[in-house]
Amino acid sequence: MNIFWLVLGGAFTGAVGPGVSVLYATYGEVITERAGRINLGIEGSMLMGACFGFLTAVETGNVVVAILAGGLAGSLLSGIHAYLVVFRDTNQLATGLAVTLFGAGVTAYAGRSFVGSSIEGLNPVAIPLFSNLPVVGRALFQQDLLAYAAYALGPLLWAFLHYTKWGLSLRAVGESTNVAFAAGRNPARWQVAAIMAGGLLAGLGGAQLSLALTHSWTEGMTAGRGFIAVALVIFGMWSPLRAMIGALLFGGAIGLQLQLQSIGAPISPFILDMFPYIITLAVLTVWTGAALRAMPEGLKGVLKGTV
Amino acid sequence: MVSLTDLGELASAAASPVWRRVAGAPAVAEPAETLLGLGTPSSDVPMLSLRGITKRFPGVVANDGIDLDVFGGKVHAILGENGAGKSTLMKIIYGFYRPDAGSISMDGQPVVIHSPADSRRLGIGMVFQSFSLVPALTVTENVALFLPQQGAVLNRPWLERRVREVSARYGLDLNPRARVADLSMGERQKVELIKLILANARVLILDEPTSVLAPHEVDGLFSVFTELKRDGYAILFITHKMREVLASADQVTVLRRGKAAGTAEGGALTAQQLVALMLGIDAPKEVRNTARVKPRPQTAALEFNRVSTGSADDPRSLKEVSFQMMPGEILGIAGVSGNGQQELGETLLGLRSRRQGSVHLFGHDIGRWPLHRILGSGVAYIPEDALGMAVVPQMRVTENLVLGDIGRYNGGLWLDWRAIQTRLGQSLEGFPLPLARAEARADELSGGNLQRLVLARELTRGASVVVAYYPARGLDLVAAEKTRQLLMDCRSRGASVLLVSEDLDELMALSDRLMVMYQGKVAGLFYPENVTLQEVGLLMTGHHA
Ligand SMILES: Nc1ncnc2c1ncn2[C@@H]1O[C@H](COP(=O)(O)OP(=O)(O)OP(=O)(O)O)[C@@H](O)[C@H]1O
Ligand SMILES: [Mg+2]
């Protein structure tokens, strides 16, 4: 087998691990944006999840409690965003960035004495039979529990959006707050709920990052994954199912970067670090035109810079 | 202007046998079947009754002590000039606005309506002047959104079956799975009705339901009304067209400047009496194009040369459309909406890309011209959707007037608002349609006043090519005739007018030539005197005349 296929195979095998945290954040942003709001603060929510998930794991040694703490922390941070944009009517993009900076500050402070601590955390659990399948076995079925939950969450969220009355309300709010109001929904309440649920999911993603992927906490460790998630939502045309493909793509780019680094490809490590982001940007550039048609009406003003 | 007392006198003089003040006894209703869970409508207790409803907005009393009784099994039409307060009253009944004073009762019991949720619980449903449908969702999803109780999981098969059942019962022909964005206006109207019926509404409020419908769709709607009446529904509907009142209404209430001028039994009225009741004057004379011109060979003001857009199987996209419009000519475009009319204008403005063919303005190929250059070379555009395309909803009336024509008011870097006011005053002087208060925001205007705003801006620019979509839509009787006169004036000063309308009477009265569109193709091009309404109607629906 030549080196090309080896590297590509390695990239695929390594794609799921780094992709899971981004996938959670993407799910979160899909829910938020389907309600007609945009939250750039999910980068901050991921950091909150990563930090407080890790702290809780160190302090309690209980990984389930740690995961929940991570989700809660992410949700609380996005609550600030929700309050500001829904009730104080602030600019969504600026508020989201401010919230992310706030989250970065809080976690840098809270986590400062935990840098370098190590934990048992979440470890891969091989699924019998499936994990022995060639290629996909190792890639998909030797993962941690949060990854398996993420597989299930995509179809579940999709079904939630399309087959429950709550999903219908959420989508209606995102398309037209006026119509939703006329239909007896309280758009503000729905949007706050959606933003906080989005923060919860991003927090879980952050927790997966520190508990399962790195087993450690470092300041700013999400490295823009939350922003990547915002981009993947557009790539995924606001569908949780397509979000899975997007996250796998991003994860694959990280996997590829690691593979190239490990075989000592003659490329600057700084360029290699940029690789996943460049790929995401490139895909987005090619893709956006077609994707934008699926955009919820309520987002159009924000994304076109008129609100 | 006549005062309300004048109107009252005039009205009683014109129509004393049928005219009465609001709170009289209604005629006896036929016993209605109780299908679909409706109670038998009682003949003398109104299903819905308003007393002393008052609503003020900053600077205007939209409703002023209005009394109204609405009965089951009857169609109650609400008439009145633009800005009379019709929509406001309906929105109060529906709980969208809270009245400043007054009371509402249903079946004789006082009720409190603080929100649309309250009114829906009481069995009141409303179709807004601009539809409340989510275009991105399917028919079924839109219906489900408005259903009162339902399980956590959407039961799609059940919902779809219900939609089909109601469609079949009331002769509404709808595909439950179609996306609303893909439906015509007439079909959207039907979705609105199904929505209300399935949500157990007993009082159906329709705000100018016919203004977006083609003639045959209006007839369809009225036969649906007949079915609904038989089942005991009360229907409240707003219209500006006398013919529709005569064809469908059992009772008529006229609003004048926020007050209820009175209520009459529909069956006994003639068109003249109705107009007199509404306006206190005789019906305005119908504007007609009496000196029709035949185009002389000269440079066309506007020429489409075998233009095609979009995909060939989309009924809306243009297919090899060719025509010439001469200076001083009104070219009428007849067709059911959604057969390429929209694309015609958008292609002219360069908003839609052409697959083939060319568009010429006074001999110049404008294919590559940017929008501002096209508008700057004397094209006025009155779009179908005024609030969406022609005005900035949050801006004031004056700002909107200036905005569309900024070149004329431009004094260097800054806008000199004082000078603008003066010049605006000059250019609007002699404009026959009274406009709303200059400081009102566009999205606070009544439907008709919004249309006037767009007309005022576009028709005072001295354009040489006027593209007008449904120009009289939403306008009251007088304003509609004045608008037609305005178009005739444009023509007499040598401008050419592309008049897109679904009102065949209007088209026949004004057009020098008439072009029929069907599925994006030119189905026929005639001198109006050479065709009958019948033939045009057939061509519009895809038959060969
Ligand atoms: N939300 C609002 N804020 C301020 N003023 C309003 C608002 N809604 C309506 N108005 C004003 O109240 C008056 C009545 O408006 P309404 O929409 O009820 O008229 P209408 O009878 O429906 O007219 P049309 O035939 O043109 O639709 C108008 O002067 C309008 O400008
Ligand atoms: Mg109105």
Side-chain angles (χ1 to χ4, degrees):
Chain A
M1 222 192 320
N2 69 30
I3 186 94
F4 175 75
W5 288 109
L6 210 64
V7 169
L8 213 63
F12 181 64
T13 316
V16 174
V20 171
S21 59
V22 177
L23 183 54
Y24 273 102
T26 310
Y27 287 155
E29 192 67 13
V30 166
I31 296 295
T32 305
E33 294 194 12
R34 274 301 181 104
R37 293 289 178 169
I38 188 161
N39 181 8
L40 297 185
I42 57 162
E43 171 75 10
S45 288
M46 282 187 87
L47 272 175
M48 293 288 279
C51 179
F52 289 97
F54 187 78
L55 263 58
T56 313
V58 172
E59 296 294 336
T60 65
N62 184 332
V63 73
V64 176
V65 176
I67 292 172
L68 293 178
L72 185 69
S75 184
L76 286 179
L77 187 75
S78 65
I80 301 178
H81 182 76
Y83 170 75
L84 288 173
V85 300
V86 176
F87 294 114
R88 314 301 314 180
D89 216 8
T90 59
N91 179 291
Q92 301 186 43
L93 303 180
T95 308
L97 288 176
V99 164
T100 286
L101 293 177
F102 177 65
V106 168
T107 52
Y109 179 75
R112 70 195 182 290
S113 55
F114 291 84
V115 177
S117 307
S118 68
I119 48 163
E120 177 62 18
L122 261 181
N123 289 310
V125 182
I127 295 187
L129 259 57
F130 284 103
S131 57
N132 296 331
L133 294 172
V135 194
V136 289
R138 257 191 67 209
L140 297 178
F141 300 108
Q142 278 191 33
Q143 299 293 341
D144 58 278
L145 290 174
L146 277 175
Y148 295 133
Y151 300 166
L153 208 49
L156 280 178
L157 284 177
W158 180 81
F160 167 82
L161 285 173
H162 293 274
Y163 284 91
T164 68
K165 67 171 176 184
W166 301 293
L168 182 64
S169 304
L170 188 86
R171 286 188 293 143
V173 167
E175 290 289 339
S176 161
T177 47
N178 279 338
V179 175
F181 178 70
R185 309 301 195 279
N186 181 336
R189 205 178 290 167
W190 277 96
Q191 292 187 332
V192 168
I195 294 171
M196 291 189 68
L200 177 97
L201 288 165
L204 292 178
Q208 195 269 348
L209 200 62
S210 64
L211 296 176
L213 200 70
T214 66
H215 297 261
S216 66
W217 160 253
T218 44
E219 196 184 317
M221 69 184 291
T222 51
R225 284 178 164 78
F227 298 131
I228 292 292
V230 176
L232 291 182
V233 171
I234 300 174
F235 168 80
M237 296 165 74
W238 291 268
S239 150
L241 294 179
R242 282 181 217 252
M244 300 176 85
I245 302 172
L248 200 65
L249 192 91
F250 177 78
I254 291 191
L256 189 60
Q257 169 209 347
L258 295 177
Q259 285 290 310
L260 289 173
Q261 246 156 17
S262 69
I263 62 166
I267 310 175
S268 154
F270 296 107
I271 305 253
L272 282 179
D273 278 347
M274 280 160 45
F275 201 63
Y277 304 93
I278 294 175
I279 290 204
T280 310
L281 280 178
V283 168
L284 213 56
T285 313
V286 178
W287 188 245
T288 305
L292 290 184
R293 250 171 279 142
M295 186 192 300
E297 266 318 299
L299 282 183
K300 288 192 173 153
V302 193
L303 287 189
K304 289 181 182 157
T306 53
V307 173
Chain B
M1 273 299 161
V2 275
S3 73
L4 269 166
T5 26
D6 290 344
L7 174 75
E9 280 161 17
L10 206 151
S12 32
S16 44
V18 289
W19 185 258
R20 60 183 174 74
R21 299 303 297 179
V22 174
V28 180
E30 287 87 3
E33 297 169 55
T34 51
L35 283 154
L36 289 163
L38 279 182
T40 312
S42 151
S43 53
D44 29 56
V45 180
M47 196 178 262
L48 173 76
S49 163
L50 311 183
R51 287 294 173 271
I53 296 291
T54 299
K55 177 73 188 175
R56 295 182 195 88
F57 290 114
V60 53
V61 184
N63 287 167
D64 189 356
I66 293 181
D67 296 348
L68 183 72
D69 288 307
V70 184
F71 297 87
K74 293 206 169 198
V75 173
H76 195 131
I78 308 283
L79 281 177
E81 287 178 288
N82 293 134
K86 306 177 296 293
S87 297
T88 304
L89 186 65
M90 298 304 117
K91 286 178 184 169
I92 286 174
I93 299 174
Y94 187 58
F96 215 82
Y97 295 139
R98 281 194 208 185
D100 298 322
S103 61
I104 303 179
S105 53
M106 288 196 72
D107 302 320
Q109 304 297 316
V111 293
V112 179
I113 301 177
H114 278 164
S115 70
D118 288 344
S119 69
R120 271 203 314 278
R121 203 171 320 115
L122 292 164
I124 299 170
M126 171 153 178
V127 180
F128 286 90
Q129 208 161 354
S130 48
F131 293 149
S132 39
L133 294 173
V134 182
L137 303 183
T138 66
V139 171
T140 306
E141 287 171 336
N142 270 288
V143 168
L145 194 60
F146 283 79
L147 282 190
Q149 319 97 3
Q150 46 186 317
V153 175
L154 290 185
N155 188 342
R156 280 176 188 264
W158 179 81
L159 283 166
E160 284 174 9
R161 209 177 53 240
R162 292 289 287 148
V163 170
R164 287 212 179 84
E165 273 168 22
V166 175
S167 294
R169 172 159 185 90
Y170 296 113
L172 314 156
D173 177 28
L174 274 179
N175 172 9
R177 295 191 185 169
R179 256 165 49 104
V180 167
D182 299 330
L183 300 183
S184 73
M185 288 300 163
E187 290 168 322
R188 292 184 195 200
Q189 191 93 57
K190 293 174 180 173
V191 180
E192 290 280 12
L193 282 174
I194 291 189
K195 227 169 71 178
L196 302 188
I197 294 167
L198 285 183
N200 297 323
R202 299 179 297 147
V203 178
L204 310 179
I205 305 172
L206 295 95
D207 194 347
E208 297 192 32
T210 55
S211 64
V212 291
L213 300 188
H216 69 276
E217 290 177 318
V218 173
D219 294 341
L221 183 67
F222 289 161
S223 53
V224 174
F225 279 4
T226 312
E227 301 294 312
L228 288 169
K229 272 162 61 172
R230 199 194 52 207
D231 284 350
Y233 291 91
I235 297 165
L236 253 174
F237 96 110
I238 298 178
T239 182
H240 290 293
K241 302 196 182 110
M242 295 308 130
R243 186 151 35 104
E244 295 175 3
V245 175
L246 297 172
S248 71
D250 301 303
Q251 293 186 308
V252 188
T253 290
V254 177
L255 294 194
R256 256 180 84 75
R257 300 180 173 216
K259 296 204 163 93
T263 296
E265 294 299 322
L269 286 172
T270 67
Q272 281 73 23
Q273 284 169 328
L274 263 177
V275 174
L277 293 179
M278 187 165 92
L279 303 170
I281 53 169
D282 287 337
K285 204 168 148 295
E286 229 177 81
V287 176
R288 293 199 74 85
N289 182 347
T290 42
R292 293 204 161 98
V293 290
K294 304 266 152 99
R296 291 178 290 116
Q298 55 179 324
T299 311
L302 175 68
E303 177 176 357
F304 270 56
N305 193 355
R306 305 186 58 162
V307 173
S308 301
T309 63
S311 75
D313 46 296
D314 182 351
R316 290 153 214 248
S317 57
L318 303 180
K319 287 147 203 104
E320 303 237 340
V321 169
S322 298
F323 65 89
Q324 292 188 327
M325 180 163 73
M326 296 302 164
E329 178 188 37
I330 295 185
L331 178 63
I333 309 285
V336 178
S337 117
N339 278 278
Q341 298 97 319
Q342 204 59 37
E343 281 66 11
L344 212 57
E346 288 174 6
T347 309
L348 164 62
L349 294 185
L351 299 177
R352 189 171 285 273
S353 58
R354 282 163 290 122
R355 237 178 343 105
Q356 65 164 60
S358 56
V359 182
H360 300 266
L361 202 58
F362 295 103
H364 304 286
D365 185 341
I366 59 167
R368 298 185 165 278
W369 289 16
L371 177 61
H372 65 88
R373 181 160 175 207
I374 297 173
L375 290 177
S377 359
V379 176
Y381 197 81
I382 299 159
E384 178 171 13
D385 167 21
L387 200 56
M389 274 185 76
V391 304
V392 182
Q394 292 80 10
M395 283 189 171
R396 290 180 290 133
V397 167
T398 336
E399 290 171 321
N400 268 301
L401 281 170
V402 173
L403 193 65
D405 199 8
I406 209 130
R408 191 144 57 99
Y409 301 105
N410 208 345
L413 190 55
W414 305 106
L415 290 174
D416 177 353
W417 283 104
R418 179 106 34 94
I420 285 172
Q421 294 288 4
T422 325
R423 262 180 291 173
L424 209 54
Q426 284 162 3
S427 74
L428 287 181
E429 202 182 66
F431 187 75
L433 299 175
L435 290 184
R437 293 162 294 134
E439 73 277 12
R441 277 167 38 150
D443 59 357
E444 296 170 355
L445 296 182
S446 76
N449 283 334
L450 190 68
Q451 183 72 4
R452 291 168 186 225
L453 168 62
V454 177
L455 289 168
R457 190 180 70 202
E458 296 299 315
L459 294 182
T460 55
R461 277 169 42 185
S464 46
V465 172
V466 177
V467 180
Y469 281 89
Y470 318 103
R473 176 175 286 179
L475 296 182
D476 60 45
L477 213 64
V478 179
E481 285 309 333
K482 284 184 179 163
T483 302
R484 292 183 188 122
Q485 187 58 51
L486 278 169
L487 294 177
M488 285 300 290
D489 295 346
C490 287
R491 169 182 175 276
S492 355
R493 65 172 165 70
S496 45
V497 180
L498 189 78
L499 172 65
V500 181
S501 177
E502 279 177 340
D503 184 343
L504 281 183
D505 294 331
E506 174 176 276
L507 284 169
M508 293 297 230
L510 296 187
S511 309
D512 292 298
R513 283 185 304 156
L514 190 62
M515 185 168 111
V516 185
M517 291 196 68
Y518 176 69
Q519 299 209 333
K521 291 196 270 278
V522 178
L525 189 57
F526 314 93
Y527 294 106
E529 59 267 32
N530 297 345
V531 282
T532 63
L533 275 178
Q534 200 67 29
E535 286 163 344
V536 176
L538 282 172
L539 281 173
M540 277 169 62
T541 45
H543 301 85
H544 293 285

